[in-house]
Each structure stands twice: as C-alpha cells, then as structure tokens.
Amino acid sequence: MSNARAARLTRRGILAAGGALGLGAVLAACGDDDAGSEGSGKGTTAAKSGAWTFKDDRGTTVKLDKVPTKIVAFVGVAAALHDYGIEVKGVFGPTKTKDGKADVQAGDMDVSKLTVFGNVWDQFNVEQYAAFAPEVLITTTFDSAGTLWYVPAASASKIAKLAPSVAISVYDRQITAPLQRVWELAESLGADMTAAKVTDAKKRFESASERLRAAAKAHPGIKVLAGSAAQDVFYVSGTNLSIDLEYFKALGVNFVEPPASVLKASGGWYESLSWENVDKYKADIIMMDDRTATIQPADITEATWKKLPAVKAGQVIARSPEPIPSYDKCVAMVENLAKAIETAKKVS
C-alpha cells in the first residue's frame, strides 16, 4: 500500500477498518531482525530459564537478560495477558471512558491501577514512559509493514530508543493466529497455560466456533453485514483483512460486503457510505463496531438507519473489530453471532 493512500485515510476510516493501513513511520525494532517470518513460537524461551527471548510477527527477535516485568502494552494485549495471569502495569490505547470506567478494550483489568501513557489516538506521553523505565513494549500491528498500533509516528523513534518492542500481527489472518501467538507470549512471560481457567477458556472458544459453524450451515440464507457508524459516514467492512471476519467467513457465515473494486480505495478494508445510502447492501443481521470512538446503534438518529429491515427486526449485534486476543474474551463474540444467526428472521 502506498504512503499516499495511507495519508488519505481519516481517523474514522481507520476505526471503521478495524486497523491501521499505514500510519507513517514504522517504529524501529530493537533486537535481531529475521525478516520474512511471522513467528511460530520457535525462538521463545520459557520464563523459568532466566533469560527471555521472543520472536514476534515482524520476524524481530527480542532478547533480554531476564523475563520482563515492567511491561508496557497496548490495552487490548494487556487485557489478554491479564486473562493468562500476567499483569501489565503500563498501557496505551483506549483504557478509560470519559467517566473513568474501563473501556471495552480494557477487558477485566482494574484500570485504576494502571499507568496510562495515552488514552486516545496519537497520544503517548514519552517523558512519562521514560520515567517508567519499561523493559519491553508490546502491541499489535495492522499492516504488512509491521507498524506498531497506537504508537504515534511523530514520537516513534524516541519511544523505540527506550525499550525493545514486540508486535503481534492482527492483519490478514484468522483470529486463531493471534490467539496462538499471545498464548505463546504469555507462556514465555511465565503464565501457567495448564491452569483450568486457561484450558477451559480455549475449550469454550472451540465449542462456540463449532456452534457458529453449525448455525451458518443450518441458515445459509442469512446475510450478515459488518458496519461502523460515524457522524457523517457509515462504513461497511470487507471481510478479507479483519481477523474476526476472516474467521467467521471460514466457519461459513454468509457476509454481504462491498466488491473488491470498491474496497480497493481503502486498501481493502471498507466502503464509506453517506447515511442517505446506508441501505445499499441488504442484510438480515448487522454487526456494529462496539468501540467507544464510534457511534453506537442506540445513538444513531438517522431515519435511513431506522428504516433498515435488520434494525426494525432488532437484528443488530455488537462487533469487536479489535477483539482482545485471549480465548476467554473471544468466546462471547463467537457465541453472540451464532445465536443471532440461529434466531434471525429473513428480512433482506
């Protein structure tokens, strides 16, 4: 993807896509660079060995003298590690809502106990980060270049000098891939991956996935659309790059989406529609972006939205374009879609 195309994308467009498409400078990686590898757990040293090594999805290997405990992570990754018993003390990304409560991307973490270096897009307090003395920064990446999600381009070079970085790819793959990589990461940091809570969550995710597969097979005519609402624009997502939609499609869910020729303008992520044209695609179920930076269905006042058959039928469910990559947190989103398909009326 060209830098010119990246420059044309708005913040809202990035939100709609569920990821970044090329936000400027790529944060320089510390450690040894083994290009071309997505990482498979090889080269990862268990916490009990003393020294710590982890090869991320950029092919970058981070090596430390000991297992890091002063970890700074994108809030969604921190929430996933929390589910595995690894407590991250410093975070960045949507952590607290305006009233101080936990953002949807913070999972079960106690946000009052976290050091937040930046709560919104393009915000990162480098001085505070330096004083924290981080041992490693962990985040996701939404493009093939390995751009570090929520690390501002303007301060990326300064941030890179303070600690090595680890990136988990959530780009153009099914969600099972980042789930496995975060599992490996948590294990390397000392998590007990044989704990009943952990293994039970994985089993529940697998059961939910089989339920969704069966629902999609039993109701092949039910069409699902993934959308995101902004003040002046409604975004319709494509399914070929987002980790959740790719997985759902692989399980047989029948998505209605823009053609590739239209998606090309956004790098393959979405089509933006005016509210007057929100009925362009006919769907029986609409999955709506649940992140706090987007407008939620209950707050949409557009008459054209309220006239949509799926909306009138009450067949609108939440979608997490940036799902917390732990098995526990991904169970509900799979089950919710399965239930919606099982009970949906054909209205398109």
Side-chain angles (χ1 to χ4, degrees), residues 12 229-233 275 295 302:
R12 290 180 299 181
Q231 188 65 42
D232 302 315
V233 182
W275 284 104
I295 300 175
E302 301 291 340

Side-chain angles (χ1 to χ4, degrees), residues 280-338:
K280 179 176 180 179
Y281 299 101
K282 311 302 180 184
D284 303 295
I285 296 170
I286 301 177
M287 303 174 66
M288 289 294 291
D289 189 337
D290 69 354
R291 290 172 293 181
T292 53
T294 65
I295 300 175
Q296 297 307 299
D299 299 319
I300 299 175
T301 59
E302 301 291 340
T304 49
W305 162 261
K306 294 180 178 180
K307 291 179 180 179
L308 292 177
V311 175
K312 292 172 69 175
Q315 295 175 176
V316 178
I317 64 173
R319 175 202 170 205
S320 299
E322 292 182 68
I324 294 171
S326 76
Y327 286 103
D328 180 71
K329 292 300 176 290
C330 288
V331 171
M333 72 174 196
V334 179
E335 288 183 337
N336 289 345
L337 181 55

Side-chain angles (χ1 to χ4, degrees), residues 47 49-53 63-70 135 188-189:
S49 67
W52 185 74
T53 301
K63 299 178 180 179
L64 299 176
D65 293 337
K66 63 183 181 67
V67 178
T69 56
K70 297 201 73 175
E135 294 173 304
S188 79
L189 293 169

Side-chain angles (χ1 to χ4, degrees), residues 40-57:
S40 62
K42 296 181 179 179
T44 299
T45 303
K48 62 184 179 181
S49 67
W52 185 74
T53 301
F54 190 83
K55 186 175 182 179
D56 76 359
D57 289 340

Side-chain angles (χ1 to χ4, degrees), residues 152-238:
S155 54
S157 60
K158 293 181 181 178
I159 293 169
K161 293 175 182 178
L162 297 170
S165 60
V166 167
I168 301 298
S169 179
V170 289
Y171 171 73
D172 195 16
R173 62 203 59 203
Q174 296 178 30
I175 196 170
T176 45
L179 281 173
Q180 177 61 29
R181 294 296 283 137
V182 173
W183 176 288
E184 294 166 1
L185 176 62
E187 186 173 35
S188 79
L189 293 169
D192 180 4
M193 308 312 285
T194 64
K197 177 182 177 181
V198 173
T199 57
D200 287 350
K202 188 173 183 180
K203 291 177 182 177
R204 288 189 292 111
F205 174 81
E206 292 167 349
S207 295
S209 297
E210 287 307 310
R211 177 183 175 184
L212 178 55
R213 188 194 302 276
K217 184 176 181 180
H219 306 277
I222 296 298
K223 296 180 180 180
V224 180
L225 179 146
S228 184
Q231 188 65 42
D232 302 315
V233 182
F234 182 81
Y235 299 95
V236 179
S237 295

Side-chain angles (χ1 to χ4, degrees), residues 70-72 117 128-137 159 162-164:
K70 297 201 73 175
I71 301 169
V72 173
F117 300 103
Q128 185 185 24
Y129 178 67
F132 185 84
E135 294 173 304
V136 67
L137 180 148
I159 293 169
L162 297 170

